[in-house]
Amino acid sequence: MAANERVATLTLNRPDALNALNAALLRDLDAAVSRIEDDDDIHVVILTGAGRAFAAGADIGEMLAYNAVEGKKFGAYGNSVFYRLENLNKPVIAAVNGFALGGGCELAMACDIRLASEKAKFGQPEVGLGITPGFGGTQRLPRLIGSPASMELLLTGRVIGAEEALRLGLVNAVYSPDELLAKAAGLAKTIAAQPQVAVRQIKQCVRKGAQVDLSTAIAFEAEAFGVCFSTEDQKDSMAAFLEKRKIDSFKNK
Ligand code: COA
């Protein structure tokens, strides 16, 4: 993990296996999420992969001999790590530099914003290995791009390029490989410079709201809105607007 200007960059670093997610890499990711959660100096996270992959899926070598109990346990562990990342108290940007297949695509989908390199490839090829996606793919893909397009991708295992992912709404933007990390850093810096109480409340509203009915979700939003009025940043920013002055930096409280 590297941290700079309140932005932590996490790099999946198992390039010889295209960052395939084995139990050890999942544990490392889990530990990194815990460290970031507790570090108030980190406002935004960028997640990327070393080499030519973001992550080429769960580790097939590790899974080959699993029985039903072990398979279920591995899926539950991966899901718990991705769920923690998705609900981390700070925004996470996936900078998808290459293959994001299977668990790699599922990991990118657990992030809040996805930026892709022109070289990125997305897909859920599990069906061709005789399994279902196991780290949330059958649930997050339809929530992001809708059911018909998801069904096709999930049932065929077809791998798509960055432009198609953009058209489907799976990624927010596509950049050249050289630009990708700088663009992610720029976006992260912009978010990191906002008042962080509001940033965190917004993320929580979107995340929690997506899981409940609209009236419950609106109640979350009302709570979050109220919380913001207890911050100095709200008072300072609104006063500055009315006095036609700019605020240099926020207090994040
Ligand atoms: N699990 C374990 N190892 C993996 C892996 C995975 N999901 N994906 C890639 N690797 C390993 C390969 O076995 C190979 O290891 P080796 O050099 O020891 O033989 C190395 O990463 C490089 O992969 P390789 O297949 O040689 O690269 P490629 O450029 O020819 O193909 C992919 C790249 C991504 C198309 C191909 O590796 C692939 O299809 N991977 C599996 C994708 C998948 O089905 N993911 C879902 C898993 S549930």
Side-chain angles (χ1 to χ4, degrees):
M1 179 172 81
N4 184 25
E5 294 190 88
R6 309 199 158 186
V7 177
T9 301
L10 281 181
T11 305
L12 301 165
N13 194 11
R14 207 188 158 212
D16 291 348
L18 300 184
N19 303 320
L21 299 160
N22 59 9
L25 191 49
L26 286 173
R27 274 197 301 275
D28 287 350
L29 180 60
D30 199 14
V33 169
S34 294
R35 284 202 305 279
I36 290 169
E37 191 151 43
D38 293 341
D39 189 338
D40 285 339
D41 289 335
I42 296 174
H43 291 181
V44 182
V45 182
I46 296 171
L47 179 61
T48 193
R52 59 195 180 94
F54 179 72
D59 191 304
I60 298 171
E62 205 171 78
M63 289 187 294
L64 173 66
Y66 280 171
N67 61 29
V69 172
E70 290 163 336
K72 188 173 172 186
K73 194 171 158 200
F74 184 58
Y77 181 55
N79 264 319
S80 73
V81 176
F82 288 13
Y83 190 80
R84 283 194 61 213
L85 178 76
E86 184 172 59
N87 291 287
L88 182 66
N89 58 356
K90 7 212 130 160
V92 183
I93 300 167
V96 182
N97 49 303
F99 294 110
L101 302 178
C105 188
E106 290 167 311
L107 179 55
M109 290 193 290
C111 298
D112 299 305
I113 295 171
R114 281 156 294 284
L115 306 182
S117 145
E118 287 159 354
K119 289 191 174 168
K121 302 267 182 224
F122 297 85
Q124 298 291 157
E126 289 90 341
V127 66
L129 295 165
I131 57 172
T132 59
F135 297 164
T138 60
Q139 303 310 307
R140 288 195 182 93
L141 192 61
R143 281 165 168 79
L144 284 171
I145 68 167
S147 185
S150 299
M151 278 292 187
E152 187 219 313
L153 294 180
L154 292 163
L155 296 176
T156 63
R158 184 166 71 87
V159 171
I160 62 173
E163 283 303 328
E164 187 170 355
L166 181 65
R167 231 176 20 253
L168 288 171
L170 184 56
V171 301
N172 295 61
V174 179
Y175 298 109
S176 74
D178 291 347
E179 278 183 310
L180 177 67
L181 281 180
K183 291 289 186 187
L187 176 61
K189 205 171 149 190
T190 302
I191 298 170
Q194 307 302 318
Q196 291 304 299
V197 175
V199 165
R200 290 177 191 188
Q201 292 293 328
I202 288 167
K203 171 165 176 173
Q204 238 185 50
C205 283
V206 174
R207 286 297 179 201
K208 284 169 73 179
Q211 299 191 30
V212 295
D213 62 275
L214 186 61
S215 67
T216 311
I218 293 292
F220 289 150
E221 192 189 74
E223 282 296 319
F225 190 62
V227 166
C228 294
F229 287 89
S230 68
T231 64
E232 293 180 29
D233 283 334
Q234 176 266 328
K235 295 284 176 289
D236 293 349
S237 314
M238 290 194 177
F241 174 82
L242 295 172
E243 291 159 19
K244 303 194 187 307
R245 8 176 216 98
K246 284 255 175 281
I247 297 241
D248 289 335
S249 66
F250 296 105
K251 295 176 180 149
N252 300 316
K253 58 182 186 177

